[in-house]
């Protein structure tokens, strides 16, 4: 299979979809790998690193999209990439389609086979989301602590306090991978941390593994409303596979927050779990609503590309190889995780949560496979 890795063009997105060791694995398996010029530069990889691993360097995204059967990315296609997509082409990347109707319509119209990292699921795990969730979780208290400073219009509270002065209080909504990593870092910085979740097993695990300045509380509206007036930082860490994030903090509830408090909505890729959230960028990361600071950068790990590219590429490679070796249809029939990753195929939405979010027709993937290009075998 001809596999192409374009340079990411989302604002301040420095990650790349593959590392040289992954190129070598694919080339040794008989595949052709094409990399857009300078795609890996910010992640620490030169064009020569990729060439030595067996890749071909292409000068433009158009040349790459025209050449390749599978496009391997990090973030969802941006507007100027829409016209480059081709019918039957495999797009393997983070898609987060539930809050993105226009992109969903484009993928349907183009009859792209769109496979989303975030809906590939192994049992209860989402293995391609986990490494970036770990990084975003670890980043969240760091960025919140920075924007809590007075010169950014924050409260002027130091997250870890100091001798004779109480530390900041941090509320984390969710008890999954983002929440655990956020709690680990926030507690290590000396904050008083409350993790609110609904999974008793996750909360027991957090209590067992993290220090005594981390406590847990069952998540419901009543408890959130009681806690909000007391906290300095809120980290939204909610994810339901493929679904649009629920608004656990409403616009009305925002009035309960302290002026100058910082809200970090890590769920913004799925639409955000705070009603007043909207996507921001690393160039312009925060905005205020009612005197409350919102940080809603939709590609947080992109700011640490050397770490995050390695973590992501190591996780995705086995799936990339399986799809390339077998073709996407055979791979999806043999591996339920790959099957669950297919969000759009043959002009239809095949991820029920996405169809529900946009009130679009949902088709079970197996029912349309016979009408899609490249059924069975390798491509």
């Amino acid at each position: 299979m001809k596999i192409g890795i374009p340079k990411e063009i989302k604002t301040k997105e420095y990650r790349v979809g593959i590392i040289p060791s992954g190129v070598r694995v694919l080339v040794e398996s008989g595949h052709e790998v094409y990399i857009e010029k300078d795609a890996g530069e910010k992640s620490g990889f030169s064009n020569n690193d990729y060439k030595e691993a067996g890749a071909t360097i292409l000068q433009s995204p158009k040349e790459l999209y025209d050449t390749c059967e599978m496009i391997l990315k990090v973030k969802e296609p941006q507007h100027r990439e829409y016209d480059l997509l081709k019918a039957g082409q495999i797009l393997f990347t983070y898609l987060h389609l539930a809050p993105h109707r226009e992109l969903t319509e484009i993928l349907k119209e183009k009859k792209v086979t769109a496979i989303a990292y975030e809906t590939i699921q192994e049992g209860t795990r989402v293995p391609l989301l986990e490494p970036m969730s770990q990084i975003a979780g670890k980043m969240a208290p760091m960025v919140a602590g920075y924007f809590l400073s007075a010169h950014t219009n924050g409260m002027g509270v130091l997250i870890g306090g100091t001798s004779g002065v109480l530390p900041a209080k941090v509320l984390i909504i969710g008890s999954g991978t983002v929440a655990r990593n956020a709690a680990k870092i926030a507690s290590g910085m000396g904050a008083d941390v409350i993790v609110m979740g609904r999974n008793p097993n996750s909360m027991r695990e957090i209590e067992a593994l993290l220090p005594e300045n981390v406590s847990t509380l069952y998540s419901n509206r009543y408890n959130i409303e009681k806690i909000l007036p007391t906290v300095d930082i809120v980290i939204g860490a909610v994810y339901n596979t493929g679904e649009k994030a629920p608004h656990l903090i409403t616009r009305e509830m925002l009035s309960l927050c302290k002026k100058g408090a910082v809200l970090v909505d890590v769920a913004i890729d799925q639409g955000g779990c705070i009603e007043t959230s909207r996507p921001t960028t690393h160039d312009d990361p925060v905005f205020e609503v009612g005197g409350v600071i919102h940080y809603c950068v939709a590609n947080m790990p992109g700011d640490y590309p050397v770490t995050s590219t390695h973590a992501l590429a190591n996780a995705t490679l086995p799936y990339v190889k399986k799809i390339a070796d077998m073709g996407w249809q055979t791979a999806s029939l043999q591996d339920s995780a790959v099957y669950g990753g297919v969000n759009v195929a043959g002009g239809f939405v095949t991820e029920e949560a996405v169809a529900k979010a946009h009130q679009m027709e949902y088709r079970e993937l197996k029912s349309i496979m016979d009408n899609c290009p490249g059924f069975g075998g390798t491509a």
Side-chain angles (χ1 to χ4, degrees):
M1 183 180 284
K2 295 180 178 180
I3 303 164
I5 296 87
K7 186 174 183 177
E8 297 293 326
I9 62 171
K10 191 180 180 88
T11 302
K12 290 297 185 343
E13 178 52 72
Y14 299 125
R15 290 172 289 182
V16 65
I18 201 167
I19 58 179
S21 60
V23 171
R24 179 166 293 177
V25 167
L26 294 174
V27 169
E28 288 177 349
S29 298
H31 305 294
E32 298 176 27
V33 180
Y34 297 85
I35 311 279
E36 186 180 344
K37 181 183 177 183
D38 298 332
E41 185 178 30
K42 291 290 187 177
S43 292
F45 304 112
S46 68
N47 295 327
N48 197 52
D49 291 331
Y50 286 112
K51 287 172 68 175
E52 287 181 351
T56 299
I57 306 298
L58 297 181
Q59 298 299 309
S60 72
K62 185 178 188 306
E63 187 180 6
L64 185 136
Y65 278 81
D66 284 347
T67 300
C68 298
E69 300 152 89
M70 184 197 299
I71 302 298
L72 182 63
K73 291 182 89 280
V74 177
K75 294 304 291 181
E76 73 282 355
Q78 304 300 292
H79 282 88
R80 68 178 188 264
E81 294 175 300
Y82 291 174
D83 288 341
L84 300 174
L85 296 164
K86 301 186 299 183
Q89 199 165 48
I90 302 165
L91 174 65
F92 194 24
T93 188
Y94 288 118
L95 286 169
H96 299 289
L97 292 178
H100 296 126
R101 184 181 184 90
E102 182 185 18
L103 177 57
T104 306
E105 290 175 338
I106 290 290
L107 296 173
K108 286 175 57 186
E109 177 188 322
K110 294 275 189 177
K111 295 189 175 179
V112 171
T113 300
I115 307 176
Y117 293 161
E118 71 274 7
T119 62
I120 285 183
Q121 197 160 343
E122 302 270 4
T124 60
R125 293 182 57 237
V126 276
L128 305 191
L129 193 61
E130 283 174 2
M132 298 303 96
S133 295
Q134 290 173 359
I135 291 171
K138 289 177 178 180
M139 287 178 65
M142 295 164 55
V143 297
Y146 174 78
F147 285 106
L148 206 57
S149 60
H151 84 274
T152 63
N153 291 328
M155 295 173 60
V157 172
L158 182 64
I159 192 168
T162 193
S163 299
V165 182
L166 292 174
K169 183 176 281 190
V170 177
L171 170 63
I172 301 170
I173 304 177
S175 59
T177 302
V178 171
R180 287 195 300 273
N181 282 274
K184 179 179 180 180
I185 298 302
S187 62
M189 295 171 78
D192 181 8
V193 181
I194 301 166
V195 178
M196 296 188 75
R198 293 182 179 176
N199 185 324
N201 292 329
S202 293
M203 289 192 285
R204 277 194 294 269
E205 186 176 293
I206 286 168
E207 289 178 341
L209 296 177
L210 294 179
E212 291 184 359
N213 56 331
V214 178
S215 54
T216 62
L217 182 66
Y218 189 80
S219 180
N220 56 39
R221 180 169 181 142
Y222 179 87
N223 284 341
I224 292 173
E225 288 178 345
K226 288 294 184 183
I227 292 293
L228 276 181
T230 73
V231 300
D232 308 296
I233 293 169
V234 179
I235 296 171
V238 177
Y239 179 71
N240 297 320
T241 304
E243 296 181 14
K244 194 172 187 298
H247 289 156
L248 298 183
I249 296 179
T250 65
R251 184 176 295 273
E252 178 186 7
M253 292 162 68
L254 198 70
S255 63
L256 299 172
C257 296
K258 297 178 182 179
K259 301 301 181 187
V262 177
L263 311 186
V264 179
D265 198 341
V266 184
I268 195 64
D269 269 332
Q270 293 295 128
C273 62
I274 299 165
E275 187 176 6
T276 46
S277 291
R278 57 174 170 78
T280 60
T281 67
H282 289 294
D283 276 342
D284 189 15
V286 298
F287 61 92
E288 290 185 32
V289 179
V292 180
I293 297 169
H294 293 55
Y295 177 98
C296 308
V297 174
N299 61 326
M300 290 174 66
D303 211 23
Y304 295 91
V306 174
T307 300
S308 53
T309 288
H310 278 88
L312 178 61
N314 288 336
T316 58
L317 181 62
Y319 297 94
V320 175
K321 187 175 183 299
K322 181 173 288 189
I323 293 166
D325 287 347
M326 297 181 177
W328 75 267
Q329 299 204 25
T330 300
S332 65
L333 289 173
Q334 293 192 9
D335 187 335
S336 61
V338 176
Y339 187 95
V342 182
N343 279 213
V344 179
F348 297 97
V349 176
T350 56
E351 168 57 53
E352 192 168 7
V354 172
K356 182 179 178 181
H358 301 307
Q359 297 183 318
M360 292 179 176
E361 180 185 1
Y362 163 70
R363 288 286 187 93
E364 175 68 34
L365 180 58
K366 287 179 182 176
S367 72
I368 64 171
M369 278 186 168
D370 289 337
N371 298 318
C372 292
F375 177 70
T378 57

